[in-house]
Amino acid sequence: MQSKNNSVTGLFPTGNLSKFKLCIFSAVFYAVICLPIKAEIANTDICLMKYSDISLQISNCENTLENLNNNNQSLNINEDLINTRLKLIELYTKQGDFFKARRLISTLDNEAQSEFSFLQKFNFLRRKGILFYRQGELPKALNAFNQAVELAQAQNISEQLAKALSDVGTAHLAMMQYPEALQAYQQSLKLKEVEASPDSIAVTLNNLGTVYRKMADWNQAAYYYVRTIKLYSQVNNLAGVAHTQENLGIIFLQQGDADKAIGVFSESLSFFKEKKNLHACLRLSILLGRAYLKQDEVQMAEDFLQQAEQLELQLGTSDQSTLLKLSLGELLIEKGSFQQAESLLLTGLDFSQKQNDKNNEINLLQALVKNAQKFKQWEKALLYQQQLTEKKIANYQSNFVESLAQKRAGFEYEQQLKEIKLLSKNNQIKQLELVNKKSQFFMVVLSLIIIIFIASFFILVLWKKRRQLKLALAKEMEFHHQQVLELGASYSSLKMAFGQFNQ
C-alpha cells in the first residue's frame, strides 16, 4: 500500500519529479536571461517610436545604444544596434547636434556595410546626406542623395526612390540649380501621390513652393505652400505647419511686407523654442534679424542676430552659416562699420564659394557693392560689381548649358527609346518570320508524312485485295485443272468407244 506524506516526493509521483525540476529551471532561466533580452528589444522599439519630445527620445535611444553596446557580443543583436545608431543620427541632426551625428556617421562608415539590409543602407545614405546638407556641404550631400537614388532604383522600390529624389531636389535647390530641383521634386511627387502618406506628399509640395519662391514666382510658391499647410493640418503635424508658415513669411518679406513676415516668424520661433529645435531657432532668429533690418530697427535686428550667433556656437557650422554672415555684414553696414562689414562679408563669400552656395554668393557680392557705395569706396564698388556681373553671367550660362544639356539628353534618350522600340519590333518581325518558316516546314513534313501514310495504307489494301484475288484465281485454276484431268480420262474412253465406227 502506497504511503501518503507532505513531502515533494509524496505530492508528485516519482516519474514527474524530473519534469517539475525542469519547469522550475525554465522559469528561472526565463526570468534571468529572457526577460532582460526582451527588455532590450522593447527598448529598441521604444527608441524607434515617434516622440513629441525629441530630447526624451534622444535620452531613451542613448540608453538603448549603451545597453546594446554592452550586450552586442553575447546577444548578437547587430540589426538593433544599427537601427538605433541610424535613429540617433536622425535625432541629433534634427536637434542640431551635428558633432554627435557626425561621430555616429564615422562609426557606421567604418563598419562592414555588407551586413546592412537594403533599408539600412538607404537610410544611412540619406542620414549622411541630410547631415552634410545641414552643415552646408552641398556637393557631398548631393553625392550621398544620388547614391540613395541609385540604390532605390536598383531595388525598384518606389517609396524610397520618391524620398531620395526629393532629397536630390533639395540639394540642387540649395545650389541654385532650379531646373534640376523642379525635375527631381516633380518626379518625387508623381511617385508619392500614388501611395505615400499626406506628410510625405506635403514635404515635396513645400519643396516645390520653395523652388518657385527662389525663382521669384510668388503666386506659384504661395499656391504650393497653402496646399502644404492644408495637408499638414489634416494630420495635425504642427511642426510642418510652423515650417511652411515660415516659408510664407519669407515671401511676405521679399514682397516688402516686413510686419506680416515678423508676425509669422515670431509664431514659428515660439513653437520651435518649445520643441527645443535649435537648428530651426537659428534659422528663424536670422530671418527675424533680416526682417527688422528691412524696417530699419537696427537694435531689434542686432538682438536676434546675436541670438543666432550664440546658437551657431552651440551647433557649429551649418547651412545657415553663410546667411548669418551675410546678415551680420548687413547689420554692420547699417551701423556704419565699413571695414568690419567688408571683412565679414568676404569671409562669408569665401565660405559660400567653397560650399558652392551660389545664391548666397550673389547676395554677399551685392552686399559688398552696397557697403563700398555707402562709404564712397568707388574702386572697390566697381571691383565687386564686376565680380557680381561675372558671377551672374556665369550662373546664367551654367544654368542655360545644363538646361540645354538636359533637354538634349532627354531628346537623345527619347530617340534611343524609339530606336530600341523599332529594333524590338524588327526582332519581333524576324521572330515571326522564323516561326512562320518553321511552321511551313512543319506543315510540309506533316503533309509528306500524311501522304506517305495514306499511300502506304492504299498499297496495303491493294496488296491484300490482290492477294485475295490471287488465292481465288489459284483455287479456280486448281478446279479447272481437276476438271481437265477428269475430262481427259473420259475423252480417252469415248475415243476408244467411238473409234470403231467410221466417221
Side-chain angles (χ1 to χ4, degrees):
M1 185 175 174
Q2 188 176 353
S3 63
K4 295 180 181 179
N5 54 48
N6 294 330
S7 66
V8 172
T9 308
L11 290 172
F12 296 94
T14 306
N16 292 334
L17 181 60
S18 59
K19 292 182 181 178
F20 173 71
K21 290 180 178 179
L22 182 61
C23 289
I24 295 294
F25 175 77
S26 299
V28 172
F29 178 82
Y30 179 82
V32 175
I33 303 297
C34 297
L35 284 179
I37 294 175
K38 285 195 171 185
E40 288 188 4
I41 293 172
N43 286 340
T44 304
D45 292 338
I46 290 171
C47 167
L48 300 178
M49 287 168 59
K50 193 170 183 179
Y51 281 57
S52 57
D53 188 342
I54 190 171
S55 300
L56 178 61
Q57 188 172 9
I58 287 173
S59 177
N60 283 333
C61 287
E62 286 174 341
N63 291 334
T64 301
L65 182 62
E66 185 178 356
N67 290 333
L68 291 171
N69 281 328
N70 292 335
N71 297 283
N72 185 45
Q73 297 297 325
S74 59
L75 298 180
N76 192 26
I77 41 180
N78 208 22
E79 183 179 353
D80 288 338
L81 187 64
I82 294 166
N83 289 336
T84 305
R85 285 173 175 166
L86 289 172
K87 189 63 182 179
L88 273 171
I89 292 169
E90 178 189 356
L91 295 172
Y92 286 146
T93 304
K94 279 184 179 179
Q95 196 182 44
D97 197 341
F98 301 139
F99 175 75
K100 288 184 178 178
R102 196 132 193 175
R103 188 171 59 187
L104 279 177
I105 290 276
S106 299
T107 301
L108 288 175
D109 265 329
N110 295 328
E111 297 214 352
Q113 294 185 20
S114 58
E115 298 179 4
F116 287 22
S117 66
F118 157 73
L119 201 56
Q120 288 170 337
K121 287 180 183 177
F122 177 79
N123 287 334
F124 177 59
L125 288 170
R126 284 196 71 221
R127 301 286 167 249
K128 185 191 289 189
I130 291 169
L131 178 61
F132 286 144
Y133 176 83
R134 288 291 184 87
Q135 292 188 293
E137 300 180 48
L138 301 177
K140 288 184 179 179
L142 182 60
N143 181 50
F145 293 147
N146 279 327
Q147 288 181 49
V149 168
E150 291 172 5
L151 184 62
Q153 286 175 333
Q155 297 291 326
N156 195 26
I157 301 178
S158 59
E159 181 181 354
Q160 273 68 39
L161 179 58
K163 290 180 181 178
L165 283 168
S166 184
D167 295 333
V168 167
T170 301
H172 281 303
L173 173 61
M175 297 166 73
M176 288 183 69
Q177 297 169 348
Y178 301 135
E180 293 86 348
L182 277 175
Q183 182 181 15
Y185 285 143
Q186 286 165 352
Q187 288 175 348
S188 175
L189 184 62
K190 187 176 180 180
L191 291 169
K192 286 184 176 183
E193 284 177 334
V194 176
E195 57 184 9
S197 66
D199 265 330
S200 183
I201 295 171
V203 169
T204 304
L205 288 172
N206 180 71
N207 291 335
L208 280 165
T210 302
V211 177
Y212 284 111
R213 175 169 59 80
K214 295 282 187 179
M215 297 169 68
D217 190 341
W218 314 123
N219 292 332
Q220 278 290 90
Y223 165 74
Y224 280 108
Y225 286 147
V226 169
R227 283 184 64 187
T228 304
I229 290 172
K230 285 181 179 177
L231 274 179
Y232 277 140
S233 300
Q234 286 175 12
V235 294
N236 199 31
N237 186 337
L238 300 180
V241 171
H243 182 58
T244 310
Q245 285 178 339
E246 171 191 336
N247 289 330
L248 276 173
I250 295 172
I251 293 179
F252 299 147
L253 186 61
Q254 289 174 333
Q255 289 181 315
D257 194 346
D259 287 334
K260 203 169 183 179
I262 287 170
V264 173
F265 292 152
S266 299
E267 188 178 341
S268 293
L269 179 60
S270 298
F271 174 83
F272 285 120
K273 275 184 177 179
E274 184 183 346
K275 298 301 178 183
K276 299 178 182 179
N277 188 330
L278 299 182
H279 184 267
C281 290
L282 167 64
R283 190 175 63 241
L284 283 157
S285 296
I286 295 171
L287 288 172
L288 278 164
R290 296 181 66 80
Y292 280 114
L293 275 176
K294 290 279 185 181
Q295 289 188 318
D296 295 327
E297 296 185 37
V298 177
Q299 187 56 52
M300 289 294 294
E302 187 172 5
D303 291 343
F304 278 106
L305 291 176
Q306 284 177 352
Q307 290 178 30
E309 280 189 291
Q310 294 300 317
L311 287 167
E312 190 188 37
L313 286 174
Q314 288 181 255
L315 297 174
T317 302
S318 72
D319 58 321
Q320 300 299 310
S321 297
T322 307
L323 185 59
L324 178 58
K325 289 179 174 60
L326 170 63
S327 303
L328 288 168
E330 290 174 340
L331 175 65
L332 289 169
I333 293 171
E334 294 299 320
K335 292 177 70 175
S337 303
F338 167 74
Q339 289 183 340
Q340 288 179 308
E342 183 181 42
S343 176
L344 190 58
L345 291 170
L346 286 172
T347 302
L349 181 64
D350 181 62
F351 183 78
S352 66
Q353 288 171 342
K354 287 179 180 177
Q355 300 304 322
N356 198 25
D357 188 353
K358 295 179 181 179
N359 189 29
N360 280 321
E361 187 178 356
I362 287 174
N363 291 333
L364 285 158
L365 284 167
Q366 288 174 337
L368 283 164
V369 171
K370 179 183 176 181
N371 185 45
Q373 287 176 336
K374 183 173 181 178
F375 296 99
K376 299 181 181 180
Q377 300 290 322
W378 306 118
E379 290 183 3
K380 286 189 174 182
L382 178 61
L383 176 65
Y384 293 137
Q385 183 61 52
Q386 288 173 342
Q387 291 180 21
L388 176 61
T389 304
E390 289 174 2
K391 181 57 62 177
K392 284 184 174 180
I393 292 171
N395 285 345
Y396 174 78
Q397 289 176 339
S398 175
N399 289 336
F400 177 76
V401 169
E402 287 178 1
S403 176
L404 185 63
Q406 280 194 344
K407 288 180 180 177
R408 181 177 178 181
F411 176 75
E412 289 177 351
Y413 179 69
E414 287 179 3
Q415 295 302 312
Q416 288 174 356
L417 284 178
K418 287 180 181 178
E419 289 178 6
I420 290 169
K421 285 180 181 178
L422 289 173
L423 285 171
S424 177
K425 294 292 183 184
N426 190 32
N427 288 334
Q428 288 177 5
I429 291 169
K430 287 182 178 179
Q431 287 177 354
L432 287 172
E433 289 177 350
L434 183 61
V435 170
N436 190 32
K437 287 180 180 179
K438 287 181 178 179
S439 298
Q440 289 177 351
F441 176 75
F442 177 75
M443 291 301 294
V444 169
V445 171
L446 183 61
S447 300
L448 288 173
I449 291 172
I450 291 171
I451 291 169
I452 291 170
F453 176 77
I454 293 171
S456 301
F457 176 76
F458 278 112
I459 290 170
L460 182 61
V461 170
L462 291 172
W463 179 77
K464 284 184 176 181
K465 284 185 176 181
R466 191 165 183 178
R467 185 179 177 187
Q468 289 174 354
L469 289 171
K470 195 173 181 180
L471 289 173
L473 183 59
K475 286 182 180 180
E476 189 174 351
M477 288 178 66
E478 181 64 26
F479 172 76
H480 286 293
H481 181 67
Q482 190 65 33
Q483 292 296 319
V484 167
L485 289 176
E486 291 177 0
L487 183 60
S490 299
Y491 174 74
S492 297
S493 300
L494 288 171
K495 185 178 179 183
M496 289 178 64
F498 288 102
Q500 300 175 6
F501 300 100
N502 292 325
Q503 193 173 358

